[in-house]
Structure formats: structure tokens, C-alpha cells
Amino acid sequence: MKRAICPGSFDPVTLGHIDIFQRAAGIFDEVYIGVFNNIRKKPLLAVEERMDLLAQSVSHLGNVKVISFDGLLADYMLEHDIEVIVRGLRSVTDYEYEQGQAQIIKAMHPELDTMFLLGRPEYNSFSSSVVREIIRFGGDCSRLVSDNVYKYLKSKI
Ligand code: ADP
């Protein structure tokens, strides 16, 4: 059984994230979506809301499950027999950050690996922070997120 985890804040999940989940689900036997429960900044959505929206967004993928964790990602992976972290890359800026993260994890836990999937160009400018900005100013983010997420965000304004 090859397991992978896609970690992130997902505040909220965007179409760019969902594309990465779908592709990871086609490569691994089981994919965990790991929601960080320790964002320093005040999030737009509570962790339970983020998890509900994620679960709705991946309900068509039978081998994907949504979890949250508080501690270190590597500890969660070792406890749950997950060997690979899957991260989406949009740009060189993403790469520079991710390279450091991947190398730290590799140095500490040689048995764990990080795999990068290049984001689709049409989603490359999408980010949770752009969605939050649009929502704060009452704009229309319907092209950046799935229908269920869009409806939920509108109901919160
Ligand atoms: P963070 O908690 O680091 O802010 P996010 O929740 O924004 O993370 O994103 C989680 C992962 O999804 C990261 O690997 C990020 O690079 C990737 N990602 C975010 N948006 C996109 C996108 N539009 N296309 C591909 N990958 C993306």
C-alpha cells in the first residue's frame, strides 16, 4: 500500500488544489489531505469548515481522505505509514520554499520523500489568499473554487 499526503491550510480549497489531489489519487493507493490546524494568522474558515469543504470536493475520489493534524507533518506520516508528501508547484517562488522544506524532512527522516506535481497553467495564479481577498471585498471568486465552496463562501458573507 503506497500512501501519500497533500498537506496545506486549504483556507479555502481552490480548483488548483483539487487538480493536485486528483492527480495524486491516480498515482498512489491512498491519499490523505492533511489540514494544518495551527495557522498563526486568523483563518477565514475554521478547520472543521475547511475539512467539510475538502471532503465535498473530493467525494468523487474513492481513495482520498481528509484529516487534520496539530503536530509535525513527519510524525503524522510515520504514525500512519505514509511515505510521500505531494506538493503542487506553481512557480519558482513555490519551488524555492518547497526545496528547503523537502530537504529538512529528508535530512531528518531519510525514509520519507517529497514529490512535486507542476500545477496546470490555467490554475497557476489561483491561491487561497487570492480567494480570501476577493471574498473580503465582496467579489466573485466562482472561477477559482468549486461550486460547493463558492456557495458556502457566499453564505458566510
Ligand atoms: P499553505 O498551507 O502552504 O499556505 P496551501 O493550502 O495554500 O498551502 O497549498 C497547499 C499546497 O497546494 C502547496 O503545495 C501549494 O503549493 C499547492 N497549491 C496551491 N495552489 C495551487 C495551484 N493553483 N496549483 C497547484 N498547486 C497549488
Side-chain angles (χ1 to χ4, degrees), residues 7-11 14 16-17 20 36 87-90 94 97-98 119-120 123-124 126-128:
S9 311
F10 308 117
D11 184 34
T14 69
H17 295 131
I20 299 293
F36 293 127
R87 302 285 283 175
L89 287 185
R90 285 163 292 193
D94 271 355
Y97 172 78
E98 297 295 346
R120 284 177 190 267
Y123 299 149
N124 259 4
F126 294 14
S127 67
S128 300

Side-chain angles (χ1 to χ4, degrees), residues 4-144:
I5 187 162
C6 301
S9 311
F10 308 117
D11 184 34
V13 59
T14 69
L15 294 178
H17 295 131
I18 294 171
D19 175 56
I20 299 293
F21 304 150
Q22 281 169 344
R23 290 160 61 190
I27 299 170
F28 292 93
D29 297 311
E30 206 165 56
V31 173
Y32 287 56
I33 300 174
V35 184
F36 293 127
N37 198 6
N38 55 357
I39 318 182
R40 267 176 240 118
K41 285 180 296 179
K42 195 179 172 322
L44 174 70
L45 301 175
V47 70
E48 296 76 17
E49 294 175 295
R50 286 182 265 146
M51 289 176 76
D52 281 350
L53 293 176
L54 281 160
Q56 290 164 22
S57 305
V58 296
S59 60
H60 59 296
L61 301 170
N63 60 341
V64 176
K65 64 169 154 187
V66 181
I67 57 96
S68 72
F69 60 97
D70 289 300
L72 289 174
L73 174 60
D75 290 342
Y76 184 89
M77 292 174 71
L78 295 171
E79 271 165 37
H80 295 83
D81 205 16
I82 304 170
E83 285 170 61
V84 181
I85 301 165
V86 174
R87 302 285 283 175
L89 287 185
R90 285 163 292 193
S91 62
V92 175
T93 317
D94 271 355
Y95 174 77
E96 279 174 356
Y97 172 78
E98 297 295 346
Q99 180 190 25
Q101 297 291 307
Q103 285 175 342
I104 289 170
I105 294 215
K106 195 70 184 163
M108 292 172 70
H109 303 283
E111 68 274 43
L112 303 181
D113 257 310
T114 305
M115 179 185 275
F116 298 113
L117 295 178
L118 268 192
R120 284 177 190 267
E122 62 267 37
Y123 299 149
N124 259 4
S125 56
F126 294 14
S127 67
S128 300
S129 57
V130 166
V131 173
R132 291 197 299 272
E133 189 92 348
I134 294 172
I135 286 294
R136 269 189 196 121
F137 292 101
D140 179 353
C141 64
S142 58
R143 287 177 185 236
L144 281 69

